[in-house]
Amino acid sequence: GVRLSRPDVVAVYPITPQSSLVEYLAKFIADGELDAELMNVEGEHSVMSALQGACLAGARTYTATSGPGLAFMFEPYIRTPGLRLPMVASLVNRDMLSPQCVWGGQQDVMTVRDAGWIHMFCESAQEVLDTVIMAYRVAEHPEVMLPVNVNHDGNYLSYGVSRVAIPAQPMVD
């Protein structure tokens, strides 16, 4: 879904259970399947700060995070809606009971539910793909101009494998 949406800038800092998602995006960029600037930064605070600058400059942006990464991103995260930045981020939801807990849950997203981002929740891999594409359409609509989180389970969906129908690029465009 991200590759089909053609972001200009992808900023990442891997954290379980979203690491494989951004690893695939890095591979798409390295292989020339996605024409985007990949920013490997030193942490999630820098991820969101860098994407705010890119988005303010007119770039379509993307990132993904989960759990403690979202907590580390909090300061620039809560600033984003007030700037009316149409960013898209995947939250691969996990519990935050301790730094060692990587089980699926929604404690991380519940900490930011009232921060001004639009939240879309997915329950299948197909919904994740489709919702990422729709998230850009919603975020960038002139009457919306708000950031969108695409939420999905950080255990079964993030580690599972399932068949999805991939739409053609002209249809997504």
Side-chain angles (χ1 to χ4, degrees), residues 15-21 66 92-94 102 153-155 158-159:
I15 185 167
T16 302
Q18 64 84 349
S19 299
S20 60
L21 192 160
S66 61
V92 185
N93 301 139
R94 73 180 239 200
V102 293
D153 173 73
N155 199 3
S158 66
Y159 294 124

Side-chain angles (χ1 to χ4, degrees), residues 12 23 33 42 47 54 72 86 90 104 108 127-128 132 138 148 171:
V12 298
E23 288 168 1
E33 296 178 43
E42 65 273 8
V47 164
F72 185 32
S90 291
D108 53 0
E127 284 186 14
V128 173
V132 166
V138 170
V148 175
M171 185 173 141

Side-chain angles (χ1 to χ4, degrees), residues 55 80-88 116-120 134-149:
C55 196
T80 305
L83 295 171
R84 304 302 286 209
L85 298 178
M87 301 167 66
V88 173
W117 286 61
I118 296 169
H119 291 277
M120 299 177 176
M134 289 186 293
Y136 282 101
R137 179 73 183 231
V138 170
E140 294 169 351
H141 191 282
E143 294 181 17
V144 178
M145 297 299 288
L146 286 171
V148 175
N149 285 138

Side-chain angles (χ1 to χ4, degrees), residues 9-140:
V9 178
V10 176
V12 298
Y13 187 82
I15 185 167
T16 302
Q18 64 84 349
S19 299
S20 60
L21 192 160
V22 296
E23 288 168 1
Y24 274 104
L25 289 175
K27 183 173 179 359
F28 289 150
I29 293 168
D31 293 346
E33 296 178 43
L34 175 59
D35 183 18
E37 181 73 27
L38 178 65
M39 299 174 69
N40 291 307
V41 296
E42 65 273 8
E44 281 86 352
H45 190 280
S46 298
V47 164
M48 189 56 63
S49 296
L51 289 181
Q52 285 177 347
C55 196
L56 284 166
R60 178 179 268 191
T61 63
Y62 177 80
T63 193
T65 192
S66 61
L70 179 60
F72 185 32
M73 183 185 279
F74 188 73
E75 179 191 3
Y77 180 92
I78 62 170
R79 183 175 47 239
T80 305
L83 295 171
R84 304 302 286 209
L85 298 178
M87 301 167 66
V88 173
S90 291
L91 296 186
V92 185
N93 301 139
R94 73 180 239 200
D95 279 341
M96 295 179 62
L97 298 174
S98 73
Q100 295 79 27
C101 182
V102 293
W103 291 106
Q106 294 185 348
Q107 284 181 334
D108 53 0
V109 69
M110 289 299 114
T111 65
V112 295
R113 72 169 188 207
D114 298 323
W117 286 61
I118 296 169
H119 291 277
M120 299 177 176
F121 290 82
C122 306
E123 65 178 280
S124 71
Q126 185 69 56
E127 284 186 14
V128 173
L129 187 154
D130 297 340
T131 304
V132 166
I133 295 167
M134 289 186 293
Y136 282 101
R137 179 73 183 231
V138 170
E140 294 169 351

